[in-house]
Each structure stands twice: as C-alpha cells, then as structure tokens.
Amino acid sequence: MLNHHISSQFNEELQDVNTKFMTMGGLVEQQVANGIRALLDTDASLAIDVQFQDNAVNRLETEIDEALTLILARRHPAAIDLRMVIAMSKANTDLERIGDEAAKIARIAQNLCEEGNSPRGYMETRHIGNQVRVMIHDALDAFARLDVDQALRVLLADADIDREYQSATRTLMTYMIEDPRHISRVINVLWVLRSLERIGDHARNISEQVIYMVKGLDVRHTSVAEIEEKVQER
Amino acid sequence: MLNHHISSQFNEELQDVNTKFMTMGGLVEQQVANGIRALLDTDASLAIDVQFQDNAVNRLETEIDEALTLILARRHPAAIDLRMVIAMSKANTDLERIGDEAAKIARIAQNLCEEGNSPRGYMETRHIGNQVRVMIHDALDAFARLDVDQALRVLLADADIDREYQSATRTLMTYMIEDPRHISRVINVLWVLRSLERIGDHARNISEQVIYMVKGLDVRHTSVAEIEEKVQER
C-alpha cells in the first residue's frame, strides 16, 4: 500500500506517522493491562504510574494529529492515502480515550488500595479485562496489516463484551443488595467494568476505521451482519 | 472567514457542511433536553422517541464526514479552511457521542418509567442537566461565531460540572447506604449523572476545537489557565 507513491518524501511522512500511531497503540495496550493489574493486585505504585503515563499518551495524540495535518496541507493525499489519514485521525482520538479510561481504572485502583481490597467483582473484572485487552491488540493488528477479517472479528467480540458487561453489572448489584456495607467499594468496581466496556467500544471504532480505510465503506451505525454483507460485495 | 475564497464552489461546499453541522448540533441539544425531561417527567413515549431519533443523529454524522472527505479530496483546503475541516471532523464525533449519551439517558428513563419513579437524585439530575445543556448550546454558538472567549467560558463551566458531579455521586451513595431497597433505582440515576458528565466533556472538546480552528492552537490536555495565557499571546 505504501509503495505506490511517486513522492518518496510523502511515503516517508506517512510511514513516520504510522509508526507513531502503532507506538501509541502499544503504549495504550500496556496502560490498560497495568491499570487492571494495579486493581487486581492492589498495587498502588503501579496505579500511580499508569496515571502518570497518561501524559505520554496525550503527547502522542497531539503529535500524530500535527503530523496528519501537515500531510493534508502539503501532500493533498487522495483515495486510499486520504482514507488512511482520516482513519488514523479518528482512531487517534479513540486510542487517547482508551488511555483516559486506563487512567480512570488506575485512579480507582489507587483508592481501593487505600480502602483495603474487595474481591467482589474481581473475577468479572479479570475476565472482561482480558477480553478487552485482546480486542485492542487485534484492532491495532488489523490496522497495521489492513486486515478486514481481523477487524470484523473485533466487531463480533464487542458484542460479547456488551453481554458480559450486562451480566456482571447484575451480579454486582446483587452483592450490594446482599451486603450494603460494601456499596461504595462495589460501585468502584462497577465504574471499572464500565470503563472496560467503553474501551471495547473504542476498539470497535478503530476496527470500523480499518474497514473504511481498506474498503472505503463507512460502517459505523451498522450491524455486524450488514457489515459482513457490504464487505463481501466490494 | 468564508468570504475570501477564490472558488465560490468551495465556499458553497464549506457553507453546506457547516449548516449541516449546526443542524446536527441543534438536534443533539434537543435530544439531551428531551432525554432529561423523559426521566424527570417519567414520560415513556418521549423516552422511546429520543432513542429512535438517535438514528437521525447518526445519519448526519455520516453525511458530514462524507462531505468533509470530499472537500479534502477535491479542494485541498489550507490554513484556516483546513483547520475548519479538521475541527468539524473532530467535533462531529463529539456531537454523535452526545447523541449516544442522550439515548442512554432515555433508555434509563424508559426503564425507570416501568419500575415507578424514584425522586432520589432528581434534583441533582435537573441541576447538572441544565448546566450541561447550556454548555452544549454555548459550545455550538462559539463554533458558529468563531468566538474564542465563549469557548473559554465553556471550558470553565466543565470544571464546575466535574465538581458538582463528584458531589452528587457522594449524595447518591449515601441514599443507597441509608436505604438499600432502592439501590437499583439509585444506580440508574448514577448512570444518568455519569452520562451528563460525559456530555460536558464532549462540549469541552468542541470548544477546544473552536480555539484550534481560530487560533491554530492545540489546547487539548492543557489547563484553562494555560489556555487563557496561550490565547492571549496570539
């Protein structure tokens, strides 16, 4: 995809921003993993580190958008190159929001370290947390390899997460009703699950951008069944 | 700002997408107002209507992005025109997310209609809801009039919302501990407050894009005090 450019300068610029995007993706993936680990292992210093590292994510977001704007202003990309710039601009926002959610999880982890840990809902957190981490990884992999099938698998995984999130929320609600002394702790775990569910949504958004980039199809607000159909038509 | 173009065709295209963006903004503002009203007045049919109308918001998001991509591909905008296209592309995502949050509030309103209403936390919802509506309105107004001072006021308002959201959350937590029979209802109100807080964040994002568009400054991840300083330097 990157070979066909007449201008090797443009080629290089697009490669550079792509490399930066993947660096940011790797960092954000790590942030989510560390946020969850800080919570489950009641590791306060890791929790603080994750919140601190969010600055690095934010800096990358700014730098990527700057690079993309320069490409638009100087190189006037067309067709798939333009779609790549647009997709990266949108996915950049999603990566930054995933970073925000990881920092939120870490902040809650830090509070729970101070209050003493509460294993209520930790099994659910571990389980959904692992699924969400796989989703981020697969979405970034689909982006790097322009792999539409991989992107479709992420969309399917997001539907799973939504179901499991609903079920975990109901379980936690029962814990609270059974033992109101732990309401405040359990609510903190609820917020974590909510963040994980949001992270799943962002991974789905990134995958939708992969399909846009490769196929030129805007598949937002479309069911997975419809998307599969549309993708096969192209 | 729109007068200086040599190509009147470009001028027209930019005006058209701007008009569509403002239409979407007005619709989203209405969706938030109706979502809150459906909750506070236990109006199930309004709640259903808001969820249905989210499709119209989604369609506008798609159309605006399509129009912006065409402008980039054909017109190669530069300087403030390019920034306007980029700002609108980012703010378009925020408007769509505000629409999503309004639909979430409406879904909760519908559930609460079925369960019978619970006035716990409604005062807080009304209060924060009104503030958030003003924020959306002011952010869109700042966008339409390229008004940096108005955008700055929205950023300040968002800091208020965050404080009030924290305080309302603590109040609702107390309600739950005092009367565990209402846990499930109160949690629903907590989700509504969370959505309102997120809507405030999106209004802030839109205002940051106004500053980017007019001043060429990326003020994301920057404190309001720093932003004010930077803006004055230009």
Side-chain angles (χ1 to χ4, degrees):
Chain A
M1 170 182 177
L2 292 169
N3 305 342
H4 68 92
H5 294 117
I6 298 158
S7 154
S8 69
Q9 183 66 36
F10 175 31
N11 202 329
E12 211 177 282
E13 285 172 14
L14 212 52
Q15 285 277 23
D16 280 354
V17 66
N18 199 29
T19 304
K20 207 163 246 181
F21 178 81
M22 287 302 151
T23 305
M24 181 171 173
L27 178 57
V28 157
E29 212 182 315
Q30 193 55 53
Q31 287 278 91
V32 173
N34 287 346
I36 298 167
R37 195 148 65 82
L39 180 85
L40 299 179
D41 300 352
T42 52
D43 184 339
S45 80
L46 184 59
I48 292 166
D49 184 58
V50 171
Q51 292 167 81
F52 185 73
Q53 281 290 316
D54 194 37
N55 294 323
V57 176
N58 294 342
R59 253 195 317 276
L60 281 167
E61 185 200 22
T62 305
E63 288 175 22
I64 288 168
D65 273 337
E66 244 173 51
L68 293 174
T69 304
L70 275 181
I71 290 177
L72 284 173
R74 289 187 194 153
R75 307 288 171 197
H76 309 149
I80 190 169
D81 298 329
L82 177 57
R83 294 204 302 273
M84 193 184 199
V85 169
I86 291 168
M88 218 181 279
S89 161
K90 298 270 185 197
N92 189 26
T93 305
D94 284 298
L95 283 183
E96 192 271 336
R97 301 277 156 86
I98 293 176
D100 280 350
E101 299 295 341
K104 279 185 205 170
I105 293 172
R107 200 167 58 233
I108 291 171
Q110 198 188 342
N111 291 341
L112 287 175
C113 286
E114 287 160 13
E115 289 187 32
N117 75 332
S118 136
R120 289 296 202 194
Y122 276 25
M123 204 187 68
E124 289 82 357
T125 304
R126 186 187 308 274
H127 181 63
I128 298 183
N130 283 339
Q131 283 181 292
V132 159
R133 283 175 56 191
V134 170
M135 277 182 75
I136 303 173
H137 190 274
D138 289 355
L140 289 168
D141 182 53
F143 203 103
R145 297 192 296 107
L146 307 174
D147 185 337
V148 169
D149 290 329
Q150 176 84 296
L152 282 168
R153 280 193 290 276
V154 176
L155 303 187
L156 286 168
D158 189 45
D160 278 344
I161 299 272
D162 289 349
R163 269 191 300 276
E164 301 207 21
Y165 166 72
Q166 297 298 339
S167 144
T169 304
R170 278 192 297 273
T171 309
L172 288 180
M173 215 89 102
T174 317
Y175 291 153
M176 281 193 273
I177 293 165
E178 280 170 5
D179 191 351
R181 287 170 307 166
H182 294 132
I183 283 178
S184 137
R185 286 188 202 169
V186 176
I187 286 208
N188 276 312
V189 180
L190 264 184
W191 293 140
V192 169
L193 291 177
R194 179 79 156 203
S195 279
L196 291 176
E197 189 257 347
R198 293 295 301 142
I199 293 173
D201 288 346
H202 290 299
R204 189 195 59 211
N205 293 344
I206 294 170
S207 301
E208 288 173 352
Q209 291 304 326
V210 173
I211 296 172
Y212 169 71
M213 184 163 62
V214 180
K215 297 278 183 178
L217 288 167
D218 185 344
V219 295
R220 294 173 298 184
H221 320 302
T222 313
S223 73
V224 179
E226 269 180 273
I227 295 174
E228 281 177 327
E229 213 171 283
K230 280 188 179 180
V231 162
Q232 267 164 3
E233 280 169 16
R234 294 250 165 162
Chain B
M1 170 181 177
L2 293 170
N3 305 342
H4 67 93
H5 295 117
I6 297 157
S7 155
S8 70
Q9 183 65 37
F10 175 32
N11 202 330
E12 213 176 278
E13 284 171 13
L14 211 52
Q15 286 277 21
D16 280 355
V17 66
N18 201 27
T19 305
K20 205 162 247 181
F21 178 81
M22 287 301 151
T23 305
M24 181 171 172
L27 178 57
V28 157
E29 212 182 315
Q30 194 56 52
Q31 287 279 90
V32 173
N34 287 346
I36 298 167
R37 195 148 65 81
L39 180 84
L40 299 178
D41 300 353
T42 53
D43 184 339
S45 79
L46 184 59
I48 292 166
D49 184 56
V50 171
Q51 291 168 81
F52 185 73
Q53 282 289 315
D54 193 37
N55 294 323
V57 176
N58 294 343
R59 253 196 316 278
L60 281 167
E61 185 200 22
T62 305
E63 288 174 22
I64 288 167
D65 273 338
E66 244 172 51
L68 292 174
T69 305
L70 275 181
I71 290 176
L72 285 173
R74 287 187 194 152
R75 306 292 170 194
H76 310 148
I80 191 167
D81 298 329
L82 178 57
R83 293 204 302 274
M84 193 183 200
V85 169
I86 291 168
M88 219 181 278
S89 162
K90 297 271 185 196
N92 189 25
T93 304
D94 284 298
L95 282 183
E96 192 271 335
R97 301 277 156 86
I98 294 176
D100 280 351
E101 299 295 341
K104 278 185 207 171
I105 293 172
R107 199 168 59 234
I108 291 171
Q110 198 187 343
N111 291 341
L112 287 175
C113 285
E114 285 159 15
E115 290 186 32
N117 73 332
S118 136
R120 288 299 201 194
Y122 276 26
M123 202 186 69
E124 289 83 357
T125 304
R126 186 187 309 274
H127 181 63
I128 298 183
N130 284 339
Q131 284 180 292
V132 159
R133 284 175 56 192
V134 170
M135 276 181 75
I136 304 172
H137 190 275
D138 288 355
L140 289 168
D141 183 53
F143 203 104
R145 297 191 298 105
L146 307 175
D147 185 338
V148 169
D149 290 329
Q150 176 84 299
L152 282 169
R153 280 193 290 275
V154 176
L155 303 187
L156 286 169
D158 189 46
D160 278 343
I161 299 271
D162 288 349
R163 269 192 299 276
E164 301 207 21
Y165 166 72
Q166 297 298 340
S167 143
T169 304
R170 279 193 296 272
T171 309
L172 288 180
M173 215 90 102
T174 317
Y175 291 153
M176 281 193 273
I177 293 165
E178 280 170 3
D179 190 351
R181 286 171 308 165
H182 293 133
I183 283 178
S184 136
R185 286 189 202 168
V186 176
I187 286 209
N188 276 310
V189 180
L190 264 185
W191 293 141
V192 170
L193 291 177
R194 179 78 156 204
S195 281
L196 291 176
E197 189 257 348
R198 293 294 301 145
I199 293 173
D201 287 345
H202 289 299
R204 188 195 60 207
N205 294 344
I206 294 170
S207 301
E208 288 174 350
Q209 291 304 325
V210 173
I211 296 171
Y212 169 70
M213 183 163 62
V214 180
K215 296 280 181 176
L217 288 167
D218 185 344
V219 294
R220 295 174 297 184
H221 319 302
T222 313
S223 73
V224 179
E226 270 180 274
I227 296 174
E228 281 177 327
E229 212 170 284
K230 280 188 179 181
V231 161
Q232 267 165 3
E233 281 169 15
R234 293 251 163 161

